[in-house]
Amino acid sequence: MNTTPPKIRLRGVCKAFGPKVVLDGVDLDVGVGESVVVIGGSGTGKSVMIKCILGILEPDSGLIEIDGVDVGKINGADRDALMGKFGMLFQGSALFDSLPVWENVAFGLIQARGMERQAARAVALQKLAAVGLGPEVGALMPAELSGGMTKRVGLARAIAAEPEIIFFDEPTTGLDPIMGDVINDLVVKCVRELGATTLSITHDLVSARKIAHRIAMLHDGKIIWQGPVADIDESGNPYVDQFIHGRAEGPIQMQVSG
Amino acid sequence: MTIAAPEDKVIIRVLSGVGRIFLNFLATVGRLSVFTGRALRHCVTPPFYFRLTIRQMIDIGYYSLPVVGLTAIFTGMVLALQSYSGFSRFSAEGAVATVVVLSITRELGPVLAGLMVAGRIGGSMAAEIGTMKVTEQIDALTTLSINPYKYLVAPRLIAGLAMMPILVLVADIIGVFGGFLIAVNKLDFNPANYLSRTFEFLEVKDVVSGLVKAAVFGFVITLMGCYHGYNSRGGAQGVGTATINAVVSSLILILIFNYIITELFFAI
């Protein structure tokens, strides 16, 4: 019997903002080296779930474990060590606009790990090359980058410290389909090379099918279906069917104020 | 069940409105206290970001110097003119130098410098941190194992606390010099006599009280800038609101703390 705990384990995670319940008992496991994509409509709490795992938001109740360690019970150096396992690509990339691209990529290495600036710069240029960007891009400021380049730099920053777990928040949102596919390929390539565990959230089914081993659907604050990516078309779940086919009619009622 | 009369409903609505405002006030005080406590803890525990602190010191101290200096010199000049014109009515022109130096060191130096820096620095801090908040840059710091309080808040608080007294000391000197310029060149005072009267009644406490005020104002300005920026919500509008709140709350707190510190130093 395999007793290895999942890399990420969520049990009964709840989070509300005032009267609005966003997460209502989320249960999810992500195995070591596995790539799980959580799909769901806008405002269903996908980003909140990731922020709870990262410790940016504190869940109201429930259990979140990383490598079997309850993240709600650790502080100080232990928490810093835990954060060192994470990398994240934000939806808007969240690059520091006061720093050049190379320093954005090397930021965690310099500030958190105390690496010399020259050595960190070399690593940053290497990571930029890994996402298809030349060394000349390193000297640019984030405001000078296109949408696709911004995502690539965000990806380079996420993998710079070679994390064990990478979170992707809408990695292809706002990109044209070709650039979206380029980013998907880069995500798959980088994750494979690092051997990292990944948890992604997206509404882009093309992206989900490409980068996921397993897909889970979040609706009304709960995971209502999860399974291998190959099973999603025959999920037998009317919510999943409506979502993947993008139909207005079905059990998911979108609130449209007139 | 009894139905409230229309005038009772009005009273209930007014009272509930007052209660809501009071509860919101208490909640804000609570949030601000927690923020201040965390910020202070991170000011005194490693790691320290010296480069960032020095950058903030330059921004708060060096780049505020022109506006504070201009304010101080014109204030000193106006003070000399006004006190001369008022005191000449009862032949007390000799007190002009003393009035200028005491007014500048005790009150006008720290308060006017505080107000100028609040407008220049408090607003820009709130806008910068607020933009970082709404564009998830602060979340990104966390994911990169950097504590945002240590990286963003602590350097600003330390810089504000350290630089405002220096800025006010310079403003005091420039303000007194402004009064000297007018007294000597326009009001025909003897330069040596004017300088002698300037220092004759000046006590250490006069300067120190101004510098203590400056340190407190520096802390208040940077704290308000960081707090409102850190708690900004939404997009551009939220950042705009945070900026306004940072400046307005700094100005109000400067005036309140000015009274409290004056009371502590000079109440008989």
Side-chain angles (χ1 to χ4, degrees):
Chain A
M1 194 178 120
N2 184 11
T3 55
T4 310
K7 196 78 178 167
I8 304 170
R9 182 166 180 257
L10 278 70
R11 286 292 175 273
V13 174
C14 297
K15 179 71 186 172
F17 297 96
K20 184 172 171 52
V21 177
V22 179
L23 301 179
D24 189 16
V26 171
D27 296 328
L28 184 69
D29 286 347
V30 183
V32 177
E34 193 180 21
S35 177
V36 172
V37 171
V38 177
I39 59 171
S42 300
T44 50
K46 303 188 297 296
S47 295
V48 171
M49 182 186 74
I50 281 192
K51 286 181 178 177
C52 285
I53 300 171
L54 285 164
I56 294 170
L57 292 173
E58 195 178 341
D60 299 331
S61 60
L63 176 76
I64 299 174
E65 286 181 353
I66 305 293
D67 288 328
V69 176
D70 183 351
V71 299
K73 290 184 179 164
I74 56 169
N75 279 309
D78 290 341
R79 172 156 280 283
D80 289 344
L82 178 73
M83 294 307 292
K85 294 183 177 183
F86 296 151
M88 173 143 181
L89 172 59
F90 286 86
Q91 186 173 351
S93 297
L95 300 182
F96 305 122
D97 43 25
S98 59
L99 301 177
V101 163
W102 80 264
E103 219 171 326
N104 263 282
V105 177
F107 190 86
L109 300 174
I110 297 171
Q111 302 293 351
R113 302 198 175 187
M115 189 183 279
E116 287 294 322
R117 288 173 71 82
Q118 277 309 104
R121 187 188 166 97
V123 174
L125 295 181
Q126 189 191 325
K127 297 300 175 188
L128 285 171
V131 296
L133 296 172
E136 70 284 357
V137 177
L140 299 177
M141 297 302 283
E144 298 174 276
L145 304 177
S146 67
M149 287 165 88
T150 304
K151 284 280 184 190
R152 289 178 192 222
V153 174
L155 178 58
R157 184 174 68 180
I159 61 172
E162 305 193 344
E164 293 174 31
I165 302 167
I166 311 178
F167 298 95
F168 296 102
D169 185 355
E170 309 278 6
T172 55
T173 295
L175 301 177
D176 65 71
I178 297 170
M179 183 51 74
D181 201 44
V182 169
I183 295 294
N184 287 334
D185 286 341
L186 283 172
V187 166
V188 171
K189 172 178 156 270
C190 293
V191 169
R192 195 186 303 131
E193 284 172 3
L194 283 175
T197 302
T198 69
L199 179 59
S200 313
I201 54 177
T202 186
H203 351 80
D204 179 354
L205 261 297
V206 177
S207 176
R209 288 175 198 275
K210 193 146 195 174
I211 65 180
H213 297 134
R214 205 152 53 83
I215 293 181
M217 180 157 172
L218 187 64
H219 180 70
D220 267 351
K222 289 187 172 72
I223 299 289
I224 56 165
W225 180 85
Q226 55 183 308
V229 66
D231 292 356
I232 193 161
D233 292 312
E234 282 89 37
S235 69
N237 184 307
Y239 292 89
V240 176
D241 284 344
Q242 184 191 352
F243 188 81
I244 65 172
H245 293 108
R247 289 192 296 257
E249 293 81 26
I252 303 173
Q253 296 298 311
M254 301 299 281
Q255 288 187 343
V256 182
S257 53
Chain B
M1 194 179 121
T2 55
I3 298 168
E7 57 270 27
D8 290 345
K9 283 184 181 170
V10 172
I11 292 169
I12 289 168
R13 212 173 298 141
V14 169
L15 287 177
S16 67
V18 171
R20 208 165 22 244
I21 290 168
F22 185 65
L23 286 177
N24 282 340
F25 172 74
L26 288 182
T28 304
V29 170
R31 275 196 299 270
L32 180 58
S33 304
V34 170
F35 185 89
T36 308
R38 277 188 194 161
L40 286 174
R41 184 162 57 85
H42 289 295
C43 282
V44 295
T45 51
F48 302 107
Y49 294 99
F50 293 110
R51 281 166 65 110
L52 287 175
T53 308
I54 288 166
R55 197 185 300 164
Q56 291 300 327
M57 283 177 160
I58 292 169
D59 200 21
I60 294 171
Y62 183 70
Y63 289 119
S64 298
L65 211 47
V67 67
V68 170
L70 265 180
T71 311
I73 197 160
F74 281 108
T75 303
M77 288 159 72
V78 168
L79 204 55
L81 278 178
Q82 288 281 21
S83 52
Y84 181 81
S85 129
F87 290 173
S88 63
R89 292 177 190 171
F90 40 92
S91 304
E93 296 94 333
V96 167
T98 309
V99 168
V100 168
V101 73
L102 291 187
S103 306
I104 293 280
T105 53
R106 284 183 176 198
E107 278 301 320
L108 296 174
V111 171
L112 290 180
L115 298 181
M116 289 296 150
V117 174
R120 209 186 82 78
I121 295 295
S124 88
M125 275 183 189
E128 187 182 353
I129 295 178
T131 305
M132 289 185 76
K133 174 80 176 180
V134 300
T135 56
E136 294 185 307
Q137 290 178 51
I138 292 182
D139 291 344
L141 280 176
T142 307
T143 64
L144 292 166
S145 305
I146 306 293
N147 188 313
Y149 279 87
K150 275 199 198 306
Y151 189 80
L152 294 175
V153 181
R156 285 167 169 81
L157 289 184
I158 293 168
L161 204 59
M163 293 316 290
M164 270 300 283
I166 296 171
L167 209 51
V168 166
L169 198 59
V170 175
D172 287 350
I173 294 165
I174 293 174
V176 170
F177 179 67
F180 173 82
L181 277 182
I182 290 297
V184 170
N185 294 315
K186 197 169 170 63
L187 307 174
D188 294 330
F189 277 72
N190 176 289
N193 281 348
Y194 186 89
L195 284 179
S196 140
R197 292 301 292 259
T198 295
F199 296 110
E200 194 176 353
F201 296 104
L202 183 67
E203 295 175 12
V204 172
K205 191 166 85 165
D206 299 322
V207 179
V208 169
S209 70
L211 299 185
V212 170
K213 284 181 181 181
V216 172
F217 297 165
F219 182 76
V220 164
I221 291 165
T222 47
L223 181 70
M224 288 297 109
C226 294
Y227 172 76
H228 288 288
Y230 204 91
N231 289 289
S232 59
R233 296 273 180 275
Q237 194 181 13
V239 175
T241 307
T243 307
I244 293 169
N245 289 342
V247 175
V248 172
S249 56
S250 295
L251 298 183
I252 293 169
L253 286 173
I254 282 173
L255 298 176
I256 293 171
F257 278 107
N258 183 41
Y259 173 77
I260 294 170
I261 298 167
T262 306
E263 177 92 21
L264 288 174
F265 270 92
F266 299 108
I268 299 163

